[in-house]
């Protein structure tokens, strides 16, 4: 039988690369780049080239699993759906609607996320639905909504190639979003100035004009110092500010407190360097700011985003091609999951649950009474487990690896009366479930993802789920019907039609229009080509608003007992909780084991050599891993990737939250280090 070649979208980062799956004898046999994809243009990173490897892994779930004692037994689908619906309904009836919560997924399609949040809201009359964006980019949504009126990337990835100056701040795109870096390299070829602002020397810095290794958590002092110098030098975009923005005087008053010498003292960056970066950015004809979770995963993450937006508006580098603000989404569909309303305060299209007119619209469309108060966030759902929250439905999320203070998470899940987990493997989280439902991976479903540049893209089913596993779309339809909802959808395309009618920005989007190049929202009608960049003639909120960023230093700093900073992040060969990449033979050969990076001087003082076992302890937990001696980290800091279950970095991280968006402060916490002489024996 001749092989088939099926076009789809990569299941990893938010870049949204197109790939082609080679299918032989009903199995995904190889992955190739899609030369027609407008985002990746025939490129794939190392993860994309082997995206097929986990699809047929022998550990894939193939039947529903019911916990009996300390073990799981297989049960039929009809029994599983009936049990899940009955337990969730009984919980809501006994303890009230807000005793049930749901975690949706940035790895599932737009249509599945839409159905999931609709199910939680319509079946249980609660807004207790959230997903992993809470842990990464909800700060972006909150900060950009306040300043610009839209919580999404302002421009297209390809626009980076035309920028004259690019600031990377808190983004290791070379490892986390490698294909996107192609546009940056094209900008470099044109002579663009690239500056990297990061405590750690990431691979992005190899091509940078300058690396600014600021003290952890001091992004706002740096940005404020830059803005103060720009205003003092008369380099701000006066005409743009006057015609297109408001509240500038409030920002000017704030900047009075941040002269260059104070910014330099706070950040550890020299005045001359701050001056150079500020002037280069302000004077550039086109300039871009690229950021990621090094900005958002702080107790002042929303304020960090606000400061970035303030800087872009101050210099007029927004609302035009080749400039703008580029928040890089970490997972393949984290943009889409947010867009689809998998958030406790927002319906699809970022429409507030507290707005009576909006709520009336959704009640009429869904034929259901809906609550008017926002629900609990991810971290609040976990904190309330076994107390206010008695049952959780988790779809393709793995908080036992991804959430901060993992020991607390695991204890919380144990307290639940009922936990149902829907996933493709028996993840660390699924092991705590009372009921496990086997879902489908990207290669086994049809639907859409929305990438980091707001582009809806189609993925096509290439192979069937293994054994008795079902697509998540089908599972949600079965669950909805068992709960009495009219979930008789014939296809994901029908679901898209429903949400396109409810969200004006998606009104012109349908499956037929997405077949080749996708569409970037807003796309308000069927003749609209999609939107390459936002805020062109007016900001989404009308006038752009300068907002004073509320600077909060790190909530936990090194001291005599815990003398080192810990920073966490990703590595090139792995993705998120490792559920997929660690079941890829090729990627496991690239990076098989966990580690921490430690500066040579710190290693010498501890008597630690390359490959030695080292214990890392915070106020919340302890892990044992191996040491990599590297000047990529500064003295007094260490770095740990968070993908590895054997040494869960998030056992250590600080659950302190941003007060606005409730994102944890993953990027800064205090730890102590000890050489572990007994690790190998254990």
């Amino acid at each position: 039988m001749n092989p088939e070649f099926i076009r789809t979208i990569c299941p990893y980062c938010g870049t949204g690369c197109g790939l082609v799956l080679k299918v032989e004898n009903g199995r995904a046999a190889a992955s190739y780049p899609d030369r027609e994809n407008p985002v990746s243009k025939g490129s794939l990173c190392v993860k994309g080239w082997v995206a097929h490897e986990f699809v047929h892994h022998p550990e894939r779930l193939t039947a529903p699993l019911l916990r009996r004692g300390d073990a799981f037994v297989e049960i039929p689908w009809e029994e599983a759906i009936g049990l899940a619906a009955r337990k969730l309904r009984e919980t809501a009836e006994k303890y009230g609607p807000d005793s049930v919560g749901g975690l949706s997924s940035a790895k599932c399609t737009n249509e599945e996320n839409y159905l999931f949040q609709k199910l939680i809201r319509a079946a249980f009359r609660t807004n207790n639905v959230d997903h992993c964006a809470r842990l990464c980019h909800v700060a972006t949504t909150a900060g950009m909504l306040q300043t610009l009126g839209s919580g999404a990337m302002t421009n297209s990835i390809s626009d980076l190639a035309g920028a004259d100056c690019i600031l990377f701040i808190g983004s290791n795109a070379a490892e986390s979003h490698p294909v996107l870096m192609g546009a940056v390299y094209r900008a470099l070829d044109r002579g663009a100035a690239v500056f990297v602002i990061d405590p750690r020397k990431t691979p992005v810095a190899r091509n940078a004009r300058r690396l600014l290794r600021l003290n952890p958590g001091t992004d706002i002092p740096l940005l404020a110092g830059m803005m103060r110098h720009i205003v003092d030098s008369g380099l701000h975009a006066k005409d743009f500010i006057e015609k297109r923005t408001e509240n500038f005087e409030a920002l000017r008053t704030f900047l009075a407190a941040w002269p260059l010498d104070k910014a330099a003292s706070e950040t550890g960056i020299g005045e001359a360097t701050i001056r150079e970066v500020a002037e280069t950015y302000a004077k550039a004809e086109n300039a871009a700011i690229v950021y990621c979770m090094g900005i958002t995963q702080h107790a002042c993450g929303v304020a960090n985003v606000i400061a970035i937006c303030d800087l872009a508006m101050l210099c007029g580098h927004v609302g035009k091609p080749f400039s703008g603000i580029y928040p890089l989404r970490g997972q393949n569909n984290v943009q889409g999951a947010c867009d689809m309303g998998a958030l406790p305060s927002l319906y699809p299209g970022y429409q507030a649950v507290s707005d009576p007119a909006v709520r009336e619209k959704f009640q009429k469309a869904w034929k259901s009474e809906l609550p008017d108060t926002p629900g609990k966030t991810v971290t609040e759902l976990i904190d309330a487990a076994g107390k206010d929250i008695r049952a959780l439905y988790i779809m393709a999320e793995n908080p036992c690896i991804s959430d901060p203070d993992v020991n607390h998470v695991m204890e919380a899940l144990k307290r639940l009366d009922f936990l149902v987990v829907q996933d493709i493997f028996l993840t660390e989280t699924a092991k705590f479930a009372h009921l496990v439902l086997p879902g489908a991976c990207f290669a086994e479903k049809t639907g859409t993802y929305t990438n980091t540049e707001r582009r809806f893209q189609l993925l096509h089913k290439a192979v069937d789920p293994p054994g008795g596993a079902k697509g998540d779309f089908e599972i949600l339809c079965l669950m909805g019907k068992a709960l009495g909802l009219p979930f008789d959808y014939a296809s994901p395309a029908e679901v898209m039609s429903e949400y396109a009618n409810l969200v004006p920005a998606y009104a012109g989007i349908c499956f037929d229009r997405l077949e080749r190049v996708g569409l970037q929202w807003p796309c308000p009608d069927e003749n609209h080509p999609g939107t390459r960049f936002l805020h062109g003639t007016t900001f989404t909120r009308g006038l752009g608003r300068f907002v004073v960023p509320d600077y909060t230093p790190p909530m936990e700093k090194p001291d005599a007992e815990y003398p080192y900073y810990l920073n966490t992040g990703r590595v090139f060969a792995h993705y998120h909780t490792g559920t997929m990449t660690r079941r890829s033979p090729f990627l496991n050969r690239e990076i098989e084991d966990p580690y921490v990076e430690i500066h040579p001087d710190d290693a010498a003082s501890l008597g630690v050599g390359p490959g030695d076992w080292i214990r890392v302890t915070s106020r919340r937990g302890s892990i044992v891993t191996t040491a990599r001696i590297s000047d990529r980290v500064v003295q007094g800091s260490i770095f740990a990737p968070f993908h590895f279950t054997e040494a869960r970095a998030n056992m250590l991280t600080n659950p302190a939250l941003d007060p606005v968006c409730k994102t944890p402060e993953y990027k800064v916490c205090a730890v102590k280090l000890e050489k572990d002489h007994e690790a190998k024996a254990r």
Side-chain angles (χ1 to χ4, degrees):
M1 181 181 294
N2 292 329
E4 291 184 275
F5 295 89
I6 308 296
R7 299 176 68 244
T8 190
I9 304 299
C10 182
Y12 291 121
C13 81
T15 304
C17 296
L19 61 82
V20 177
L21 286 176
K22 180 183 179 182
V23 179
E24 291 182 308
N25 300 317
R27 295 175 64 86
S31 304
Y32 302 109
D34 182 355
R35 299 183 186 279
E36 297 181 20
N37 184 275
V39 180
S40 50
K41 298 179 173 64
S43 294
L44 286 176
C45 77
V46 63
K47 292 188 287 292
W49 275 103
V50 293
H52 62 286
E53 285 196 339
F54 73 88
V55 172
H56 305 290
H57 194 279
E59 293 178 5
R60 284 290 303 274
L61 296 173
T62 59
L65 301 175
L66 176 65
R67 177 177 296 282
R68 287 189 179 155
D70 294 329
F72 286 105
V73 295
E74 294 186 1
I75 62 173
W77 268 106
E78 184 177 2
E79 180 182 347
I81 295 295
L83 174 66
R86 177 170 57 82
K87 286 284 192 179
L88 293 170
R89 185 190 302 110
E90 288 175 352
T91 300
E93 291 172 350
K94 181 176 181 180
Y95 297 103
D98 289 331
S99 64
V100 175
L103 296 183
S104 199
S105 176
K107 291 183 282 294
C108 290
T109 66
N110 287 320
E111 296 68 39
E112 291 158 353
N113 277 286
Y114 175 83
L115 287 182
F116 188 92
Q117 60 83 35
K118 179 180 177 180
L119 184 147
I120 296 295
R121 288 182 159 121
F124 305 114
R125 312 294 196 267
T126 181
N127 286 313
N128 285 341
V129 60
D130 205 2
H131 75 291
C132 69
R134 184 70 47 194
L135 310 177
C136 55
H137 267 296
V138 169
T140 288
T141 302
M144 295 181 88
L145 283 174
Q146 289 185 53
T147 52
L148 311 181
S150 176
M153 184 185 284
T154 65
N155 288 56
S156 301
I157 292 169
S158 60
D159 275 8
L160 286 169
D164 304 303
C165 175
I166 304 175
L167 305 184
F168 277 90
I169 179 164
S171 166
N172 182 13
E175 291 194 86
S176 298
H177 303 82
V179 172
L180 177 143
M181 287 296 294
V184 177
Y185 298 139
R186 290 191 290 276
L188 285 164
D189 288 343
R190 292 178 41 259
V194 172
F195 297 97
V196 174
I197 301 165
D198 202 306
R200 182 168 170 253
K201 188 195 297 181
T202 68
V204 183
R206 293 170 186 160
N207 298 285
R209 178 175 295 184
R210 200 169 300 284
L211 168 63
L212 285 67
R213 303 184 80 165
L214 77 174
N215 294 328
T218 60
D219 305 279
I220 288 174
L222 177 65
L223 294 165
M226 290 173 59
M227 288 190 280
R228 167 71 184 271
H229 178 69
I230 288 167
V231 172
D232 286 351
S233 304
L235 296 175
H236 51 303
K238 303 175 188 65
D239 189 55
F240 181 91
I241 292 168
E242 181 181 351
K243 293 179 179 177
R244 296 207 49 196
T245 69
E246 60 183 357
N247 209 37
F248 174 62
E249 289 306 316
L251 180 70
R252 189 197 291 269
T253 300
F254 164 74
L255 296 179
W258 287 101
L260 273 180
D261 59 344
K262 182 179 177 182
S265 174
E266 189 80 8
T267 63
I269 305 299
E271 290 183 41
T273 299
I274 298 175
R275 189 181 299 114
E276 176 193 358
V277 177
E279 292 180 2
T280 305
Y281 178 80
K283 292 177 180 178
E285 182 176 350
N286 298 300
I289 304 175
V290 180
Y291 74 87
C292 198
M293 284 168 274
I295 280 291
T296 58
Q297 289 181 333
H298 290 273
C300 59
V302 173
N304 285 344
V305 173
I306 285 170
I308 286 172
C309 295
D310 286 342
L311 174 60
M313 289 191 294
L314 184 71
C315 300
H317 289 321
V318 65
K320 60 181 183 178
F322 311 122
S323 294
I325 305 168
Y326 298 73
L328 303 187
R329 308 295 183 173
Q331 295 196 54
N332 55 308
N333 200 35
V334 73
Q335 179 69 55
C338 290
D339 294 349
M340 293 300 117
L343 297 167
S345 61
L346 299 169
Y347 293 125
Y350 305 95
Q351 300 173 83
V353 301
S354 58
D355 185 320
V358 168
R359 190 168 60 258
E360 176 62 28
K361 177 174 71 170
F362 280 91
Q363 286 183 152
K364 184 177 179 180
W366 294 350
K367 298 179 175 60
S368 176
E369 290 296 319
L370 299 173
D372 60 359
T373 55
K376 286 181 167 60
T377 65
V378 168
T379 46
E380 291 169 336
L381 287 169
I382 295 297
D383 287 345
K387 294 174 282 189
D388 293 339
I389 297 297
R390 313 295 299 207
L392 269 179
Y393 182 2
I394 299 178
M395 178 175 72
E397 290 282 302
N398 193 8
C400 288
I401 297 289
S402 62
D403 285 27
D405 194 2
V406 163
N407 287 318
H408 168 67
V409 174
M410 293 188 292
E411 289 303 314
L413 295 183
K414 290 177 185 177
R415 295 195 298 265
L416 289 167
D417 295 347
F418 185 65
L419 172 62
V420 55
V421 173
Q422 184 171 310
D423 216 316
I424 62 174
F425 293 105
L426 192 66
T427 64
E428 290 77 5
T429 300
K431 291 174 183 176
F432 287 90
H434 300 93
L435 178 66
V436 180
L437 304 177
C441 74
F442 82 106
E444 298 153 359
K445 59 179 65 174
T446 296
T448 63
Y449 294 151
T450 305
N451 78 340
T452 195
E453 62 175 5
R454 300 170 279 106
R455 186 183 298 272
F456 278 80
Q457 298 190 100
L458 270 179
L459 56 156
H460 297 90
K461 181 177 177 179
V463 295
D464 291 326
K470 293 183 182 294
D472 299 281
F473 171 81
E474 182 181 357
I475 297 172
L476 290 168
C477 287
L478 290 171
M479 190 76 78
K481 285 185 281 190
L483 288 163
L485 300 177
F487 271 34
D488 295 310
Y489 298 98
S491 68
E494 187 177 337
V495 177
M496 173 178 278
S497 179
E498 179 174 310
Y499 65 69
N501 285 327
L502 291 166
V503 182
Y506 315 150
I509 298 174
C510 63
F511 270 42
D512 289 345
R513 296 191 68 197
L514 298 176
E515 190 57 49
R516 281 300 176 192
V517 297
L519 287 167
Q520 290 171 272
W521 65 260
C523 181
D525 61 68
E526 61 184 12
N527 296 313
H528 195 282
T531 303
R532 173 183 163 190
F533 63 91
L534 301 176
H535 319 300
T537 56
T538 183
F539 284 95
T540 304
R541 67 178 305 278
L543 293 175
R545 181 174 178 81
F546 287 103
V547 177
V548 173
D550 185 13
Y551 171 51
T552 303
M555 303 298 284
E556 187 175 272
K557 293 185 176 182
D559 56 21
E561 185 177 3
Y562 298 93
Y564 298 91
Y565 275 117
L566 167 67
N567 178 21
T568 66
R570 298 183 177 186
V571 295
F572 77 95
H574 288 297
Y575 169 76
H576 204 48
T577 62
T579 304
M580 299 183 294
T581 54
R582 297 203 69 204
R583 290 176 171 89
S584 163
F586 179 85
L587 295 175
N588 255 347
R589 286 195 296 272
E590 291 293 305
I591 301 178
E592 186 173 2
D593 299 311
Y595 62 89
V596 295
E597 291 176 353
I598 180 171
H599 189 273
D601 292 344
D602 291 329
S605 69
L606 294 165
V608 171
D612 283 354
W613 291 93
I614 187 168
R615 179 176 291 277
V616 186
T617 304
S618 76
R619 290 176 173 85
R620 290 153 296 278
S622 182
I623 62 172
V624 176
T625 184
T626 56
R628 286 192 179 183
I629 315 304
S630 173
D631 65 358
R632 292 179 68 174
V633 292
V634 296
Q635 191 172 3
S637 293
I638 65 168
F639 169 82
F642 72 95
H643 315 287
F644 299 91
T645 188
E646 311 94 303
R648 301 183 196 183
N650 283 324
M651 283 187 171
L652 311 173
T653 46
N654 190 354
L657 303 178
D658 181 293
V660 177
C661 71
K662 313 299 183 186
T663 296
E665 189 160 60
Y666 287 100
K667 293 302 180 186
V668 189
C669 79
V671 296
K672 61 183 176 182
L673 308 177
E674 305 163 274
K675 186 172 181 178
D676 196 303
H677 298 281
E678 300 176 2
K680 287 184 179 179
R682 286 198 298 272

